[in-house]
């Protein structure tokens, strides 16, 4: 069953409107931006200051943690302080884990309460045991009794609520029956939703967060599908939790949130960053504005969905292409990275820069160069010969005026395989056949840049090229009411499938495939995350290029960061770090940076740094090692899901973490330059 009106156009999902104080979420309202304070909630002045700072930069809803009843009582003064500062219209949300008593206090003072269905009425004590149907029924009855008072009081006071499921903190009951799966996350929320509905209470917003964008995307889609089946139309709060900081945190957030917004899902967003929360707001704003620019009332006639299973990741099968030693493309190969430069005249400088040892883990494998004359091809080949380095194949972006015969002559005795990239219209089958003949005679490859409609027109000629020398790509045209860029690529994949063509697909982030590009690095990062990240999470993409970034080294790094964010190619250590909140037991930003400085070179190792144990152990489910606040000044160290060392003094924790990494044979000494 479909979870959205169209996989090609952004048709906004219709939801009920839920009021969070004076801010309405869902319905016909714009996407609302929200964030969370990180101060100790009982430090009322600091929390008011942070709330004001967030409101001043455009945060529309502010969340504050309420870890206990005393903190929940402080929300009254925080509410008053924020109002006194002139921000009475900005609603406050109490964030509750574990303690129904804290929720009952908080609901008296703030406009909305967030509960985590994984721990509202359950202790974390995962024990493997089977729940019989009768056991499960008794658990649900216990849940009903624990949750109903909050529902009834919220209804009386006109408060709204978020049922906020986290992948990392599912209840034992759910874990035993469904595992830590998207389905388990959805069932966890539905249990609470049904209790709320049994009291006629519907002022509810839902979230399905995970630190893994793929899990989060699948969980939200599944939730919507299940809600539609039960005629439920609640708004969605979107977020990737524990995303970390810097570009990596922004990329993970943009991939997860962006994918869903392009599908038309999502009514309020939070970009979690392990940075001061005010830095989350411009990122969330940019993501929301881009997505809202795509909103349309209905999808045009024609197919609304594609052959991708949106609930289970499977990488699209393709033919294997032999491009260059160490840079094959297709099954079992990671997506290859191509960097574009402005012209053959820049090639020598770019090749030198790209072979720098500091780019060892993020090598540009292909160099894409626009060429308008055969003389430029000669100059480019000479530069390539003279600078052997990480780049192992050339891609020639052929100007439309270049003829196949003159290009063929310029390719004699080429060094390695060359990819000939050319744009083809749907009626250019004969021209494509001519270029395919050239490719066969010279042993090179053809990359066909075409829209889905043109692919349909070229199907016969494409088939004749053969999957072993064909790459398909799309550099886009400015969007004018047609598919969104991810949809444009999805249609291309469908056309290839229909024609029985298994050619690899090259995802190109260009001005033409941007939703709404501008000249900032943030915009380029978000656009690349939307397009490349969303498609990679669909299982599509064998080569990638971020062509909106003109600096070659930065373009390569950005491409690798997006690949890592989507889990498609790992080039460095990964850090899962919570954004911190009033529960945080140490300086999360400084600690994350310190640990990163010591371990960033451990390619493929995943380290979680979590401020407390609320989400900590759960969110670390797929991390190799964890550094979790256990008590003030004390750290718990994990290997996988298992706590190995409790209450390590913080001053020793870094060294003990590194010792654990060594014990488990995941350590490598940093290279001398780095050390
Ligand atoms: S894991 Fe971090 S953000 Fe989550 S509750 Fe704990 S300290 Fe707060």
């Amino acid at each position: 069953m479909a979870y959205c009106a169209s996989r090609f156009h952004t048709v906004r999902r219709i939801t009920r409107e839920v009021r969070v104080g004076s801010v309405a979420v869902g319905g016909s309202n714009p996407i609302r931006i929200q964030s969370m304070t990180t101060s100790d909630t009982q430090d009322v002045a600091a929390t008011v200051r942070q709330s004001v700072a967030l409101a001043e930069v455009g945060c529309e809803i502010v969340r504050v943690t309420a870890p206990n009843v005393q903190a929940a009582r402080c929300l009254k003064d925080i509410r008053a302080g924020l109002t006194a500062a002139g921000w009475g219209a900005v609603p406050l949300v109490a964030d509750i884990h574990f303690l129904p008593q804290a929720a009952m206090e908080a609901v008296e003072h703030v406009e909305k309460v967030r509960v985590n269905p994984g721990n509202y009425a359950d202790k974390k004590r995962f024990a493997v045991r089977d729940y019989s149907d009768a056991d499960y029924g008794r658990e649900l009855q216990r849940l009903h009794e624990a949750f109903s008072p909050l529902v009834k009081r919220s209804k009386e006071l006109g408060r709204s609520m978020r049922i906020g499921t986290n992948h990392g903190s599912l209840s034992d009951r759910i874990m035993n029956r469904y595992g830590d799966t998207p389905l388990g996350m959805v069932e966890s929320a539905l249990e609470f939703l049904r209790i709320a509905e049994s009291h006629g209470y519907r002022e509810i917003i839902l979230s399905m967060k995970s630190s893994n964008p793929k899990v989060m995307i699948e969980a939200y889609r599944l939730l919507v599908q299940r809600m539609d089946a039960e005629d439920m139309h609640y708004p969605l709060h979107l977020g990737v939790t524990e995303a970390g900081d810097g570009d990596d945190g922004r990329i993970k957030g943009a991939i997860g949130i962006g994918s869903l917004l392009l599908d038309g899902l999502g009514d309020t967003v939070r970009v979690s960053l392990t940075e001061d929360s005010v830095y989350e707001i411009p990122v969330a704003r940019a993501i929301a504005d881009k997505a809202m620019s795509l909103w349309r009332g209905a999808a045009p006639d024609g197919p609304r969905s594609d052959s991708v299973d949106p609930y289970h990741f499977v990488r699209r099968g393709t033919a294997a292409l032999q491009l260059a030693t160490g840079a094959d493309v297709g099954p079992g190969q990671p997506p290859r990275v191509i960097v574009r430069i402005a012209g053959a005249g820049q090639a020598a400088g770019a090749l030198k820069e790209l072979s720098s040892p500091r780019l060892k883990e993020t090598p540009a494998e292909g160099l894409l160069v626009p060429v308008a004359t055969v003389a430029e091809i000669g100059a480019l080949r000479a530069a390539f010969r003279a600078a052997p380095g990480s780049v192992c194949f050339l891609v020639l972006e052929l100007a439309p005026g270049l003829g196949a015969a003159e290009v063929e002559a310029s390719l004699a005795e080429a060094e390695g395989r060359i990819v000939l990239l050319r744009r083809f219209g749907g009626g250019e089958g004969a021209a494509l056949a001519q270029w395919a003949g050239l490719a066969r005679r010279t042993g090179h490859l053809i990359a066909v840049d075409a829209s889905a409609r043109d692919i349909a027109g070229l199907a016969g000629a494409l088939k004749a090229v053969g999957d072993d020398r064909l790459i398909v790509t799309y550099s886009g045209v400015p969007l004018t009411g047609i598919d969104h860029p991810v949809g444009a690529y999805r249609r291309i994949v469908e056309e290839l499938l229909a024609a029985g063509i298994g050619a690899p697909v090259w995802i190109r982030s260009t001005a033409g495939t941007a939703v709404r590009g501008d000249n900032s690095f943030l915009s380029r990062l978000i656009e690349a995350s939307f397009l490349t990240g969303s498609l990679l999470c669909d299982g599509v993409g064998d080569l990638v290029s971020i062509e909106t970034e003109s600096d070659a080294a930065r373009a390569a790094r950005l491409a690798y960061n997006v690949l890592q964010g989507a889990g498609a190619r790992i080039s460095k250590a990964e850090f899962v770090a919570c954004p911190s909140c009033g529960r945080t037991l140490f300086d999360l930003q400084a600690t994350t940076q310190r640990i990163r400085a010591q371990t960033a070179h451990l390619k493929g190792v995943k380290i979680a740094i979590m401020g407390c144990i609320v989400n900590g152990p759960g969110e670390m489910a797929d991390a190799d090692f964890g550094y979790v606040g256990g008590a003030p000044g004390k750290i718990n160290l994990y290997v996988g899901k298992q706590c190995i060392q409790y209450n390590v003094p913080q001053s020793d924790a870094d060294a003990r973490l590194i010792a654990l990494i060594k014990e488990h044979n995941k350590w490598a000494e940093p290279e001398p330059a780095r050390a």
Side-chain angles (χ1 to χ4, degrees):
M1 185 176 174
Y3 67 93
C4 67
S6 169
R7 293 255 300 162
F8 308 112
H9 302 91
T10 303
V11 181
R12 193 180 188 197
R13 172 175 167 259
I14 296 166
T15 73
R16 57 180 288 116
E17 180 181 281
V18 170
R19 295 201 74 80
V20 184
S22 62
V23 176
V25 176
S28 58
N29 296 288
I31 294 168
R32 302 297 188 184
I33 307 301
Q34 59 175 293
S35 181
M36 191 166 182
T37 57
T38 58
S39 49
D40 177 349
T41 306
Q42 293 188 57
D43 185 342
V44 171
T47 307
V48 170
R49 255 197 320 277
Q50 282 200 5
S51 303
V52 169
L54 279 169
E56 282 174 344
V57 293
C59 179
E60 296 172 279
I61 299 171
V62 174
R63 184 156 47 113
V64 180
T65 192
N68 50 47
V69 175
Q70 297 90 298
R73 274 192 206 111
C74 292
L75 291 170
K76 182 177 182 190
D77 293 337
I78 294 167
R79 175 67 276 169
L82 188 58
T83 303
W87 295 100
V90 173
L92 289 176
V93 184
D95 196 58
I96 305 290
H97 295 271
F98 295 117
L99 281 183
Q101 306 91 305
M104 293 306 292
E105 177 66 30
V107 73
E108 302 295 323
H109 312 304
V110 295
E111 288 78 6
K112 180 176 158 202
V113 175
R114 177 269 169 123
V115 296
N116 178 342
N119 61 29
Y120 189 77
D122 294 277
K123 297 273 175 293
K124 284 307 295 176
R125 54 171 201 290
F126 183 67
V128 179
R129 75 178 181 93
D130 286 333
Y131 282 77
S132 67
D133 287 348
D135 291 337
Y136 208 92
R138 274 191 291 277
E139 282 287 295
L140 289 182
Q141 185 53 37
R142 186 176 64 78
L143 198 63
H144 191 98
E145 281 155 23
F147 185 46
S148 290
L150 179 64
V151 170
K152 289 182 188 161
R153 191 64 183 143
S154 298
K155 191 174 174 188
E156 281 163 14
L157 293 170
R159 309 299 199 210
S160 53
M161 187 184 292
R162 170 157 68 99
I163 298 175
T165 307
N166 274 19
H167 182 218
S169 50
L170 297 172
S171 67
D172 288 358
R173 179 180 60 261
I174 290 289
M175 291 280 277
N176 277 292
R177 188 158 279 200
Y178 303 98
D180 59 346
T181 59
L183 179 61
M185 294 169 71
V186 170
E187 287 299 329
S188 176
L190 289 177
E191 287 178 353
F192 276 65
L193 209 42
R194 292 186 190 113
I195 295 170
E197 288 202 333
S198 74
H199 296 288
Y201 176 70
R202 292 188 170 75
E203 302 313 307
I204 295 171
I205 297 169
L206 292 140
S207 65
M208 296 275 123
K209 296 194 186 181
S210 167
S211 60
N212 179 334
K214 270 195 211 116
V215 171
M216 168 265 190
I217 291 167
E218 290 172 11
Y220 276 101
R221 288 172 175 168
L222 196 57
L223 172 70
V224 171
Q225 190 230 45
R226 292 294 301 274
M227 282 203 292
D228 285 353
E230 298 196 28
D231 202 21
M232 294 171 167
H233 307 283
Y234 295 101
L236 298 176
H237 162 132
L238 303 185
V240 174
T241 190
E242 281 84 34
D245 59 0
D247 290 355
D248 294 336
R250 286 163 174 77
I251 286 169
K252 269 195 185 178
I255 291 174
I257 296 170
S259 281
L260 293 162
L261 288 178
L262 260 57
D263 283 345
L265 311 185
D267 306 282
T268 173
V269 302
R270 190 228 173 158
V271 172
S272 290
L273 294 176
T274 310
E275 300 177 17
D276 290 349
S277 5
V278 287
Y279 294 120
E280 296 177 355
I281 305 305
V283 188
R285 181 80 272 158
I287 290 172
D289 285 349
K290 284 175 191 288
M292 285 192 290
S293 74
L294 292 170
W295 276 355
R296 51 191 297 160
D301 291 342
R304 309 274 167 93
S305 64
D306 54 5
S307 56
V308 168
D309 178 348
Y311 312 113
H312 303 97
F313 174 81
V314 181
R315 189 170 172 194
R316 173 180 171 260
T318 70
L321 280 195
Q322 293 184 327
L323 257 175
T325 309
D328 287 347
V329 172
Q333 301 293 333
R336 299 297 175 187
V337 172
I338 296 173
V339 165
R340 185 180 192 274
I341 58 171
Q346 282 77 50
L351 286 164
K352 184 159 178 257
E353 189 189 359
L354 291 170
S355 60
S356 156
R358 76 196 154 83
L359 296 179
K360 189 169 149 251
E361 299 299 341
T362 55
E365 292 156 316
L367 189 71
L368 165 62
V369 190
V371 289
T373 64
V374 289
E376 287 173 348
I377 297 176
L380 178 59
R381 285 182 51 196
F384 187 58
R385 263 194 309 272
S390 71
V391 173
C392 44
F393 63 93
L394 291 174
V395 186
L396 309 185
E397 185 179 340
L398 301 164
L402 271 174
E406 53 180 334
V407 170
E408 183 162 356
S410 73
L411 296 178
E413 294 174 24
E415 39 298 307
R417 292 189 119 177
I418 291 178
V419 179
L420 303 168
L421 167 66
R422 191 176 181 280
R423 188 150 201 159
F424 289 91
E428 287 191 279
L432 177 55
Q434 204 182 5
W435 285 96
L438 179 160
R440 254 192 311 277
R441 285 189 298 279
T442 57
H444 297 304
L445 301 143
I446 294 282
V448 171
D449 178 354
S451 69
R453 187 178 304 159
D454 291 335
I455 299 263
L458 293 167
L462 287 167
K463 194 111 177 100
V465 176
D467 289 349
D468 59 340
R469 36 185 96 252
L470 178 66
I471 295 168
V472 174
T473 187
Y474 181 55
S475 59
V477 289
L479 292 170
T480 47
I482 56 167
D483 301 345
H484 57 60
V486 175
Y489 268 90
R490 284 176 178 159
R491 270 201 212 281
I492 286 170
V493 170
E494 293 309 292
E495 292 296 344
L496 294 177
L497 187 68
I501 295 168
V505 167
W506 168 14
I507 307 170
R508 298 174 66 192
S509 199
T510 66
T513 57
V515 170
R516 203 173 79 152
D518 66 43
N519 212 16
S520 66
F521 181 72
L522 177 63
S523 175
R524 291 194 281 275
L525 176 150
I526 293 173
E527 294 286 355
S529 304
F530 274 20
L531 178 73
T532 310
S534 299
L535 288 166
L536 290 169
C537 289
D538 267 6
V540 171
D542 307 288
L543 304 103
V544 303
S545 55
I546 314 293
E547 298 171 34
T548 47
E549 175 53 63
S550 57
D551 180 276
R554 216 166 344 156
R557 263 199 303 269
L558 181 52
Y560 276 95
N561 288 344
V562 173
L563 288 169
Q564 178 130 354
R569 184 169 180 177
I570 305 304
S571 56
K572 57 186 177 182
E574 182 163 348
F575 298 91
V576 174
C578 80
S580 91
C581 72
R583 295 174 188 264
T584 310
L585 292 164
F586 54 86
D587 182 337
L588 212 30
Q589 293 178 30
T591 303
T592 304
Q593 283 163 20
R594 206 178 56 242
I595 292 177
R596 186 200 301 278
Q598 299 170 83
T599 59
H601 64 290
L602 302 177
K603 181 174 167 181
V605 175
K606 196 165 181 178
I607 300 174
I609 303 150
M610 313 295 280
C612 80
I613 58 165
V614 168
N615 291 325
E619 276 305 335
M620 291 167 10
D622 57 350
D624 300 303
F625 301 95
Y627 180 111
V628 180
K634 297 285 191 307
I635 304 299
N636 295 348
L637 296 175
Y638 285 69
V639 175
K641 286 181 189 170
Q642 197 150 9
C643 186
I644 300 290
Q645 297 180 22
Y646 288 94
N647 290 330
V648 175
Q650 204 180 338
S651 51
D652 294 346
D654 290 16
R656 298 253 209 119
L657 174 68
I658 289 170
L660 271 182
I661 297 173
K662 287 181 177 168
E663 264 171 45
H664 288 79
N665 297 324
K666 300 265 187 176
W667 180 259
E669 291 304 325
E671 287 178 7
R674 188 186 164 79

